[in-house]
Amino acid sequence: MSSPTTPRRVSLLTLGCARNEVDSEELAGRLTAGGWELVDEEADVVVVNTCGFVESAKKDSVDTLLAASDSNAKVVAVGCMAERYGKELAESLPEASAVLGFDHYANLADRLDDVVAGRTVESHVPQDRRTLLPITPVKRQEAAADVQVPGHGWGPRVMRTRLDDAPVAPLKIASGCDRRCSFCAIPSFRGAFVSRHPDEIVAEAMWLAENGVREVFLVSENSTSYGKDLPRELGNMEQLLPRLAAIPGIDRVRVSYLQPAETKPGLVQTIAKTDGVADYFDMSFQHSSEPVLRRMRRFGNTESFLKLVELIREHAPEAGIRSNVIVGFPGETEEDVVELERFLTEARLDAVGVFGYSDEDGTEAEEFDGKLDADTITERVTRIGNLVEELTSQRAEDRVGTEVVVLIEQEADDAADEDCVGRAAHQAPEVDGECIVLEAGDLRTGDLVRCRVDASEGVDLVVTPIEVVPR
């Protein structure tokens, strides 16, 4: 363990989405600035950045906290689950030395000093973070200066330390959400929607490029809302994307978390036609049956979604389109499932996550009648999942014979293994499949390589290098 003359050591464990990954790197930056040394083992404190999105994520978070407590280190919970449950989590998990919310992030180094010294740190008391900012979006920027919003308000200095050397990194453009989907609790603990200043985003992207990143992955709870709370002269996503794509060293900009009802033709065209922006559309459809979508408090239907898919492919025929869908929502009928099947069959998306509905604490849907039994939900997840597997495999097979530009993310293990792994423009990190690059030769992590698609394996592509794209 640390002595009084050596830096105190901390390790960070991150669960959940790419937004949490950005938050962890912010915490790493704040902790190193506060005199803490980042380590992988033999830490004085283990900070677990938890996820509180769905029940399985909460269980993973608790399991990780318990596993961390088996070491000699103090354990501190931060992140969404800690923000959402605070004292309740602390009382049910005495193994954690502290449960800290977003308001603790700015002074986390001091709070960890307290933990190591044995001083009591009061657990976070949850509140609805939507109430911390004005209802009117254009009034939020000034008020946000007095509210702790992870990843915002750093000023000219990038308060971030990279926790890996991957050639792709998430970049937060906004936090929070103004939508009121009946199944989702995220706005209550992430707060109202707040955009980051575009100059701050560009500065961080430049910093990432200087640290070896070639692809930035723009993340938020709702990227289509970016700029709605900013002065008009600061622009929106259509103005931000070309600025990011023009940064030396950044060869690919990827946008995530688009709301179909807010995705306008101008944004589709900007993504499709801007050099350096990936032809990639992460559309949050969730379902396509209009009655189910209305109960979800969402907009759209099969026909409007198909028109959006058609518009995307009109501008970018090879674009990757992914989505998530929820089946088994309260009141969902057989006719609703058939309608979802029709949409998926006609849309031919590249990747689809299929989730069974489960109640979330404090959401409107938790009180809905018409709940389906677990066996029915499981059957529908399997049914839609099998259809999705077939359709996405067909979509990948359609790419055989085409060319893709692959970002190498994993080199060959040794000289005997000549294959390496990367992702094409239509494949986002971790969720959309990968490219297996045959006869990789001297290819290294971070290389961009134009490749020929020779075969497909499910959603994965088997490709052969043609030429390395200059940096």
Side-chain angles (χ1 to χ4, degrees):
M1 303 296 287
S2 301
S3 73
T5 59
T6 61
R8 287 179 169 166
R9 299 186 293 267
V10 59
S11 64
L12 276 162
L13 303 178
T14 307
L15 295 93
C17 64
R19 299 185 294 273
N20 257 18
E21 293 175 19
V22 177
D23 291 351
S24 284
E25 293 197 346
E26 175 192 347
L27 295 178
R30 293 187 181 280
L31 289 170
T32 54
W36 285 79
E37 178 187 356
L38 297 173
V39 296
D40 293 326
E41 54 187 20
E42 296 187 359
D44 299 299
V45 181
V46 176
V47 176
V48 180
N49 190 353
T50 60
C51 178
F53 181 43
V54 293
E55 201 59 40
S56 59
K58 298 175 199 173
K59 182 180 184 304
D60 288 345
S61 294
V62 171
D63 289 346
T64 302
L65 287 162
L66 290 173
S69 71
D70 289 338
S71 68
N72 292 324
K74 304 285 188 180
V75 178
V76 173
V78 298
C80 291
M81 190 175 181
E83 176 64 38
R84 186 175 180 184
Y85 294 104
K87 266 192 169 182
E88 179 184 345
L89 177 62
E91 291 168 359
S92 64
L93 197 72
E95 292 84 354
S97 298
V99 175
L100 307 179
F102 299 148
D103 292 336
H104 292 97
Y105 281 17
N107 300 303
L108 186 62
D110 292 338
R111 298 293 74 77
L112 297 194
D113 286 341
D114 291 336
V115 167
V116 170
R119 294 187 288 269
T120 300
V121 179
E122 290 296 325
S123 297
H124 167 66
V125 178
Q127 59 183 318
D128 188 336
R129 294 191 74 85
R130 290 171 293 191
T131 64
L132 301 181
L133 292 170
I135 294 176
T136 305
V138 294
K139 295 183 179 179
R140 288 180 191 158
Q141 288 294 317
E142 184 175 354
D146 299 321
V147 176
Q148 286 295 324
V149 182
H152 290 241
W154 296 344
R157 179 188 174 196
V158 175
M159 185 63 72
R160 180 173 179 176
T161 295
R162 297 222 61 204
L163 295 175
D164 60 38
D165 57 359
V168 58
L171 173 58
K172 184 177 289 190
I173 62 171
S175 289
C177 185
D178 289 340
R179 302 186 71 88
R180 294 294 182 265
C181 300
S182 62
F183 57 84
C184 183
I186 289 175
S188 65
F189 57 85
R190 277 288 183 178
F193 183 89
V194 185
S195 302
R196 290 182 70 189
H197 194 289
D199 291 348
E200 189 176 305
I201 297 171
V202 170
E204 187 173 344
M206 294 174 67
W207 178 85
L208 288 170
E210 292 167 358
N211 283 271
V213 170
R214 297 195 76 176
E215 176 182 320
V216 291
F217 184 25
L218 308 186
V219 298
S220 70
E221 277 73 27
N222 178 7
S223 296
T224 35
S225 285
Y226 178 77
K228 74 175 187 178
D229 54 327
L230 296 173
R232 186 182 298 270
E233 62 270 17
L234 293 182
N236 53 21
M237 184 68 77
E238 287 93 321
Q239 283 73 52
L240 177 64
L241 287 174
R243 291 185 64 186
L244 293 172
I247 294 173
I250 297 298
D251 293 287
R252 184 185 287 167
V253 179
R254 185 182 304 277
V255 185
S256 65
Y257 305 110
L258 300 173
Q259 289 289 343
E262 298 179 27
T263 302
K264 302 298 189 290
L267 178 57
V268 172
Q269 186 165 351
T270 298
I271 293 174
K273 302 300 182 184
T274 303
D275 288 342
V277 176
D279 291 340
Y280 178 80
F281 295 82
D282 178 12
M283 309 303 307
S284 178
F285 290 122
Q286 303 299 348
H287 211 284
S288 74
S289 170
E290 192 163 356
V292 174
L293 287 166
R294 294 302 171 271
R295 287 193 291 275
M296 289 180 170
R297 296 205 180 279
R298 297 177 66 85
F299 301 96
N301 53 40
T302 296
E303 300 308 325
S304 66
F305 291 167
L306 288 175
K307 287 180 180 178
L308 180 55
V309 170
E310 181 182 2
L311 176 66
I312 291 170
R313 293 199 171 126
E314 177 184 323
H315 287 294
E318 300 301 319
I321 308 176
R322 85 165 324 272
S323 190
N324 294 321
V325 296
I326 299 172
V327 295
F329 194 76
E332 182 189 61
T333 65
E334 172 64 19
E335 290 75 16
D336 295 325
V337 180
V338 170
E339 184 69 0
L340 177 59
E341 289 174 325
R342 180 171 79 89
F343 166 68
L344 293 170
T345 301
E346 295 186 27
R348 296 178 61 80
L349 306 178
D350 292 85
V352 183
V354 182
F355 298 90
Y357 171 80
S358 62
D359 286 335
E360 277 300 305
D361 298 338
T363 61
E364 183 182 5
E366 185 182 23
E367 306 300 325
F368 283 179
D369 56 15
K371 298 284 178 64
L372 304 182
D373 62 77
D375 287 345
T376 299
I377 294 175
T378 299
E379 184 274 327
R380 290 182 179 179
V381 169
T382 301
R383 171 178 164 184
I384 298 298
N386 288 339
L387 175 64
V388 160
E389 183 176 0
E390 178 183 355
L391 293 170
T392 54
S393 295
Q394 291 174 2
R395 177 70 175 159
E397 188 175 354
D398 289 343
R399 295 184 184 275
V400 174
T402 66
E403 292 183 0
V404 293
V405 177
V406 177
L407 176 64
I408 303 299
E409 294 186 318
Q410 180 182 325
E411 299 175 12
D413 292 333
D414 52 52
D417 182 4
E418 296 183 349
D419 301 345
C420 60
V421 176
R423 289 179 300 102
H426 70 280
Q427 297 169 318
E430 300 183 2
V431 294
D432 296 337
E434 60 191 17
C435 289
I436 302 163
V437 186
L438 305 178
E439 303 175 8
D442 295 330
L443 295 180
R444 295 290 177 259
T445 298
D447 285 343
L448 270 178
V449 188
R450 189 163 62 89
C451 299
R452 182 186 66 249
V453 181
D454 294 327
S456 63
E457 298 176 356
V459 296
D460 297 336
L461 301 180
V462 179
V463 304
T464 300
I466 298 173
E467 64 176 353
V468 176
V469 178
R471 287 182 178 270

